[in-house]
């Protein structure tokens, strides 16, 4: 991409990262661009998988939908010439899995999953995840409450700031 178009693409990415509901008309007005140019840039970014998808942050607790979320730390043996990628991609294919990330520390991968019950999550770990070749160990942590997700507060208590004011 030429520098000017690259700069515009970055500006568009920053805008839609914060609010993907904005229309091309709104983005064009914000950046003083033509709507058609915004549409072309977004289509190009989607084609190149720079924009990998869109999603909505939903507070399922307020809907009354019972879901169990868990964070699973996974220690694996890296494969020759493939490292961690082959095992990570195999884990990604399970429908229960929402996110997989390579990380530093005692464990190699962190896997975020959702299920209907704790038993369903436990069955996933014991029957599907732990049985994968090269998986050495797992540590499962059940999510008790989510306060903020993807930069969005999902649980606001409506209380005012309780910090004491310090004056000179």
């Amino acid at each position: 991409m030429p520098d000017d178009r690259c700069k515009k693409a970055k500006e568009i990415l920053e805008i839609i990262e914060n609010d993907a509901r904005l229309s091309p008309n709104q983005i064009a007005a914000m950046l003083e661009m033509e709507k058609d140019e915004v549409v072309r840039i977004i289509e190009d970014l989607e084609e190149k998988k720079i924009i990998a998808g869109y999603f909505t942050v939903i507070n399922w607790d307020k809907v009354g939908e019972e879901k169990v979320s868990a964070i699973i730390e996974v220690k694996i043996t890296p494969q020759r010439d493939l490292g961690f990628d082959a095992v990570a991609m195999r884990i990604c294919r399970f429908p229960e899995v929402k996110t997989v990330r390579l990380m530093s520390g005692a464990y190699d991968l962190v896997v975020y999953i959702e299920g209907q019950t704790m038993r369903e999550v436990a069955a996933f770990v014991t029957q599907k995840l732990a049985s994968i070749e090269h998986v050495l160990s797992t540590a499962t942590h059940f999510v008790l409450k989510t306060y903020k997700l993807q930069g969005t507060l999902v649980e606001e208590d409506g209380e005012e700031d309780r910090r004491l004011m310090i004056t000179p």
Side-chain angles (χ1 to χ4, degrees):
M1 267 188 230
D3 285 342
D4 186 46
R5 188 168 166 121
C6 187
K7 182 178 181 256
K8 289 177 181 180
K10 285 181 183 177
E11 290 174 331
I12 292 171
L13 289 170
E14 288 171 358
I15 289 170
I16 62 176
E17 182 179 40
N18 290 317
D19 188 354
R21 296 178 304 158
L22 293 173
S23 70
N25 280 333
Q26 292 169 308
I27 296 168
M30 293 169 74
L31 298 176
E32 298 178 359
M33 295 171 60
E34 294 295 319
K35 174 194 164 209
D36 293 340
E37 184 180 8
V38 170
V39 169
R40 279 193 302 276
I41 291 171
I42 290 174
E43 287 173 349
D44 184 50
L45 294 168
E46 289 171 342
E47 188 178 302
K48 292 178 179 174
K49 296 291 184 197
I50 293 170
I51 297 176
Y54 300 90
F55 67 93
T56 304
V57 177
I58 298 172
N59 186 346
W60 287 105
D61 291 339
K62 290 191 176 186
V63 176
E65 181 77 19
E66 291 296 320
K67 288 188 179 205
V68 176
S69 298
I71 299 166
I72 306 164
E73 296 170 313
V74 183
K75 187 165 194 65
I76 61 178
T77 303
Q79 292 180 271
R80 183 185 307 254
D81 299 325
L82 299 173
F84 300 103
D85 294 346
V87 176
M89 291 310 295
R90 184 164 179 206
I91 293 169
C92 287
R93 290 188 188 101
F94 291 110
E96 300 92 337
V97 173
K98 302 302 175 194
T99 303
V100 177
R101 292 187 167 131
L102 181 64
M103 62 182 191
S104 63
Y107 288 86
D108 303 306
L109 300 175
V110 63
V111 178
Y112 298 82
I113 72 162
E114 285 183 359
Q116 294 301 312
T117 65
M118 289 177 81
R119 186 179 305 267
E120 187 178 300
V121 171
F124 170 81
V125 174
T126 58
Q127 296 169 10
K128 294 180 180 177
L129 187 59
S131 65
I132 294 174
E133 187 178 2
H134 303 292
V135 170
L136 300 175
S137 64
T138 64
T140 303
H141 309 277
F142 288 96
V143 176
L144 302 177
K145 185 174 183 177
T146 300
Y147 298 95
K148 190 173 186 177
L149 182 61
Q150 294 297 100
T152 302
L153 287 173
V154 293
E155 192 66 39
E156 294 191 47
D157 60 9
E159 291 184 24
E160 292 182 30
D161 190 353
R162 290 195 241 170
R163 295 177 291 179
L164 295 176
M165 183 182 293
I166 298 176
T167 57

